[in-house]
Amino acid sequence: MALLYASIFTLLLSYITLTHATTINVVNNCAYPVWAAADPGSGKRLNKGDSWVVSPQPGTKMARIWGRTGCSFDGNGNGNCQTGGCGKLDCDPGHWGDNPKTVFEYTLAQPNNPTDTLDISLIEGFNIPITFTPTSNTGGKCRQISCRADINGQCPQKWKAPHGCFNPCTKMELGSCGPNGDNKFFKQRCPDAYSFPKDDQTSTFSCPSGTNYKLTFC
């Protein structure tokens, strides 16, 4: 009887885990290749139209996905990128790439918070437009968020980088950082996105646990 109960418990635990599993379908809609990076996860080259499924474990926290441009890697996966590079195709855990870069951040449901917490961050600058969309039926409990403005084209001259735009919050010599700082340049163009570190009220979003998502570059 004890063995039967143990089997039932194992099946129930498996069912709960499966029903709360999350997938993020990363899609490149840019006219140029993007080398996607995920932490936790790995890295992958995406040509226009290519996709890559990231399957984080339930309870994953402080995770991020970003795109790298202008990359060249050798047969061992070592190399450099014009933006977002970490020296490898598969970035080491905690090595979040060079600035500037557009970042998607997420934490899946935690014991004290039954929802997924999501944001787009421009605190580390901008390199690629991104859109993040729930693909599961959430009953209207969450919505698409995006940053699709032509920030590279409109970037102030002193903030410009090859194929990117720095944020003064992470390159302090370029200006002031804060709700009334020079970083308002980003908030005015992408109101869904973080433009400075404590911009939580208008930049943090949530979706029900177990929601599936699509992250689109360009």
Side-chain angles (χ1 to χ4, degrees), residues 145-165:
I145 59 175
S146 67
C147 177
R148 297 181 53 81
D150 181 21
I151 287 179
N152 288 342
Q154 299 171 16
C155 183
Q157 186 61 39
K158 67 178 181 177
W159 298 2
K160 282 184 178 293
H163 306 282
C165 185

mmCIF file of all heavy atoms in Angstrom, residues 145-165:
data_model
loop_
_atom_site.group_PDB
_atom_site.id
_atom_site.type_symbol
_atom_site.label_atom_id
_atom_site.label_comp_id
_atom_site.label_asym_id
_atom_site.label_seq_id
_atom_site.Cartn_x
_atom_site.Cartn_y
_atom_site.Cartn_z
ATOM 1 N N ILE A 145 4.439 43.041 -24.201
ATOM 2 C CA ILE A 145 5.277 44.199 -23.907
ATOM 3 C C ILE A 145 6.347 44.283 -24.992
ATOM 4 O O ILE A 145 6.741 43.268 -25.568
ATOM 5 C CB ILE A 145 5.915 44.131 -22.507
ATOM 6 C CG1 ILE A 145 6.780 42.877 -22.349
ATOM 7 C CG2 ILE A 145 4.846 44.173 -21.429
ATOM 8 C CD1 ILE A 145 7.529 42.805 -21.017
ATOM 9 N N SER A 146 6.796 45.498 -25.272
ATOM 10 C CA SER A 146 7.734 45.630 -26.386
ATOM 11 C C SER A 146 8.589 46.882 -26.268
ATOM 12 O O SER A 146 8.267 47.817 -25.520
ATOM 13 C CB SER A 146 6.978 45.658 -27.726
ATOM 14 O OG SER A 146 6.201 46.831 -27.826
ATOM 15 N N CYS A 147 9.671 46.870 -27.003
ATOM 16 C CA CYS A 147 10.491 48.055 -27.243
ATOM 17 C C CYS A 147 10.933 47.974 -28.692
ATOM 18 O O CYS A 147 11.872 47.249 -29.026
ATOM 19 C CB CYS A 147 11.693 48.108 -26.308
ATOM 20 S SG CYS A 147 12.770 49.530 -26.630
ATOM 21 N N ARG A 148 10.224 48.702 -29.555
ATOM 22 C CA ARG A 148 10.444 48.598 -30.996
ATOM 23 C C ARG A 148 10.847 49.929 -31.630
ATOM 24 O O ARG A 148 10.878 50.056 -32.850
ATOM 25 C CB ARG A 148 9.181 48.064 -31.678
ATOM 26 C CG ARG A 148 8.813 46.647 -31.232
ATOM 27 C CD ARG A 148 7.571 46.132 -31.946
ATOM 28 N NE ARG A 148 7.692 46.249 -33.391
ATOM 29 C CZ ARG A 148 8.343 45.379 -34.155
ATOM 30 N NH1 ARG A 148 8.946 44.335 -33.596
ATOM 31 N NH2 ARG A 148 8.408 45.533 -35.457
ATOM 32 N N ALA A 149 11.164 50.916 -30.827
ATOM 33 C CA ALA A 149 11.535 52.233 -31.354
ATOM 34 C C ALA A 149 12.896 52.167 -32.059
ATOM 35 O O ALA A 149 13.712 51.277 -31.808
ATOM 36 C CB ALA A 149 11.591 53.244 -30.219
ATOM 37 N N ASP A 150 13.134 53.137 -32.924
ATOM 38 C CA ASP A 150 14.415 53.236 -33.640
ATOM 39 C C ASP A 150 15.434 53.939 -32.742
ATOM 40 O O ASP A 150 15.883 55.056 -33.014
ATOM 41 C CB ASP A 150 14.225 54.002 -34.948
ATOM 42 C CG ASP A 150 15.525 54.111 -35.746
ATOM 43 O OD1 ASP A 150 16.444 53.281 -35.517
ATOM 44 O OD2 ASP A 150 15.633 55.040 -36.573
ATOM 45 N N ILE A 151 15.781 53.280 -31.650
ATOM 46 C CA ILE A 151 16.691 53.892 -30.680
ATOM 47 C C ILE A 151 18.097 54.025 -31.251
ATOM 48 O O ILE A 151 18.769 55.036 -31.029
ATOM 49 C CB ILE A 151 16.673 53.101 -29.362
ATOM 50 C CG1 ILE A 151 15.340 53.382 -28.644
ATOM 51 C CG2 ILE A 151 17.855 53.473 -28.471
ATOM 52 C CD1 ILE A 151 15.167 52.663 -27.340
ATOM 53 N N ASN A 152 18.555 53.045 -32.013
ATOM 54 C CA ASN A 152 19.892 53.179 -32.603
ATOM 55 C C ASN A 152 19.969 54.378 -33.539
ATOM 56 O O ASN A 152 20.962 55.115 -33.552
ATOM 57 C CB ASN A 152 20.270 51.902 -33.356
ATOM 58 C CG ASN A 152 20.564 50.743 -32.424
ATOM 59 O OD1 ASN A 152 20.806 50.935 -31.242
ATOM 60 N ND2 ASN A 152 20.534 49.531 -32.955
ATOM 61 N N GLY A 153 18.915 54.587 -34.313
ATOM 62 C CA GLY A 153 18.917 55.700 -35.258
ATOM 63 C C GLY A 153 18.796 57.052 -34.580
ATOM 64 O O GLY A 153 19.304 58.063 -35.103
ATOM 65 N N GLN A 154 18.125 57.113 -33.423
ATOM 66 C CA GLN A 154 17.893 58.377 -32.732
ATOM 67 C C GLN A 154 18.862 58.605 -31.571
ATOM 68 O O GLN A 154 18.788 59.621 -30.880
ATOM 69 C CB GLN A 154 16.456 58.404 -32.201
ATOM 70 C CG GLN A 154 15.402 58.301 -33.291
ATOM 71 C CD GLN A 154 14.004 58.110 -32.741
ATOM 72 O OE1 GLN A 154 13.753 58.339 -31.563
ATOM 73 N NE2 GLN A 154 13.077 57.679 -33.595
ATOM 74 N N CYS A 155 19.762 57.670 -31.343
ATOM 75 C CA CYS A 155 20.671 57.717 -30.195
ATOM 76 C C CYS A 155 21.514 58.996 -30.200
ATOM 77 O O CYS A 155 22.090 59.358 -31.236
ATOM 78 C CB CYS A 155 21.590 56.499 -30.241
ATOM 79 S SG CYS A 155 22.717 56.350 -28.841
ATOM 80 N N PRO A 156 21.601 59.719 -29.059
ATOM 81 C CA PRO A 156 22.487 60.884 -28.993
ATOM 82 C C PRO A 156 23.914 60.500 -29.397
ATOM 83 O O PRO A 156 24.397 59.412 -29.074
ATOM 84 C CB PRO A 156 22.419 61.290 -27.519
ATOM 85 C CG PRO A 156 21.078 60.794 -27.055
ATOM 86 C CD PRO A 156 20.854 59.511 -27.811
ATOM 87 N N GLN A 157 24.577 61.393 -30.070
ATOM 88 C CA GLN A 157 25.875 61.078 -30.664
ATOM 89 C C GLN A 157 26.870 60.535 -29.639
ATOM 90 O O GLN A 157 27.577 59.556 -29.894
ATOM 91 C CB GLN A 157 26.451 62.336 -31.337
ATOM 92 C CG GLN A 157 27.737 62.088 -32.111
ATOM 93 C CD GLN A 157 27.572 61.095 -33.253
ATOM 94 O OE1 GLN A 157 26.544 61.097 -33.955
ATOM 95 N NE2 GLN A 157 28.556 60.232 -33.445
ATOM 96 N N LYS A 158 26.903 61.130 -28.442
ATOM 97 C CA LYS A 158 27.907 60.707 -27.463
ATOM 98 C C LYS A 158 27.587 59.353 -26.833
ATOM 99 O O LYS A 158 28.434 58.754 -26.159
ATOM 100 C CB LYS A 158 28.082 61.769 -26.381
ATOM 101 C CG LYS A 158 26.875 61.973 -25.484
ATOM 102 C CD LYS A 158 27.196 63.014 -24.409
ATOM 103 C CE LYS A 158 26.017 63.231 -23.458
ATOM 104 N NZ LYS A 158 26.365 64.194 -22.377
ATOM 105 N N TRP A 159 26.355 58.854 -27.037
ATOM 106 C CA TRP A 159 25.980 57.547 -26.509
ATOM 107 C C TRP A 159 26.147 56.435 -27.536
ATOM 108 O O TRP A 159 26.005 55.269 -27.210
ATOM 109 C CB TRP A 159 24.529 57.550 -26.055
ATOM 110 C CG TRP A 159 24.205 58.495 -24.941
ATOM 111 C CD1 TRP A 159 25.039 59.375 -24.315
ATOM 112 C CD2 TRP A 159 22.932 58.645 -24.322
ATOM 113 N NE1 TRP A 159 24.371 60.079 -23.358
ATOM 114 C CE2 TRP A 159 23.062 59.646 -23.323
ATOM 115 C CE3 TRP A 159 21.685 58.050 -24.504
ATOM 116 C CZ2 TRP A 159 22.009 60.062 -22.524
ATOM 117 C CZ3 TRP A 159 20.628 58.446 -23.703
ATOM 118 C CH2 TRP A 159 20.783 59.440 -22.723
ATOM 119 N N LYS A 160 26.412 56.792 -28.784
ATOM 120 C CA LYS A 160 26.415 55.810 -29.864
ATOM 121 C C LYS A 160 27.533 54.793 -29.695
ATOM 122 O O LYS A 160 28.649 55.118 -29.276
ATOM 123 C CB LYS A 160 26.561 56.507 -31.216
ATOM 124 C CG LYS A 160 25.282 57.158 -31.738
ATOM 125 C CD LYS A 160 25.506 57.737 -33.114
ATOM 126 C CE LYS A 160 24.231 58.348 -33.693
ATOM 127 N NZ LYS A 160 23.208 57.314 -33.969
ATOM 128 N N ALA A 161 27.208 53.553 -30.035
ATOM 129 C CA ALA A 161 28.173 52.468 -30.137
ATOM 130 C C ALA A 161 27.930 51.787 -31.483
ATOM 131 O O ALA A 161 26.868 51.982 -32.084
ATOM 132 C CB ALA A 161 27.976 51.470 -28.998
ATOM 133 N N PRO A 162 28.876 51.018 -31.996
ATOM 134 C CA PRO A 162 28.609 50.282 -33.233
ATOM 135 C C PRO A 162 27.385 49.384 -33.073
ATOM 136 O O PRO A 162 27.387 48.464 -32.258
ATOM 137 C CB PRO A 162 29.891 49.462 -33.432
ATOM 138 C CG PRO A 162 30.955 50.232 -32.734
ATOM 139 C CD PRO A 162 30.273 50.811 -31.525
ATOM 140 N N HIS A 163 26.309 49.724 -33.757
ATOM 141 C CA HIS A 163 25.064 48.939 -33.762
ATOM 142 C C HIS A 163 24.365 48.937 -32.400
ATOM 143 O O HIS A 163 23.629 48.000 -32.078
ATOM 144 C CB HIS A 163 25.327 47.503 -34.213
ATOM 145 C CG HIS A 163 26.031 47.404 -35.523
ATOM 146 N ND1 HIS A 163 25.382 47.591 -36.720
ATOM 147 C CD2 HIS A 163 27.340 47.191 -35.817
ATOM 148 C CE1 HIS A 163 26.249 47.474 -37.712
ATOM 149 N NE2 HIS A 163 27.445 47.236 -37.185
ATOM 150 N N GLY A 164 24.555 49.999 -31.614
ATOM 151 C CA GLY A 164 23.900 50.061 -30.319
ATOM 152 C C GLY A 164 23.901 51.453 -29.736
ATOM 153 O O GLY A 164 24.431 52.397 -30.331
ATOM 154 N N CYS A 165 23.281 51.588 -28.556
ATOM 155 C CA CYS A 165 23.158 52.876 -27.886
ATOM 156 C C CYS A 165 23.336 52.657 -26.386
ATOM 157 O O CYS A 165 22.591 51.884 -25.776
ATOM 158 C CB CYS A 165 21.777 53.478 -28.172
ATOM 159 S SG CYS A 165 21.521 55.151 -27.519
#
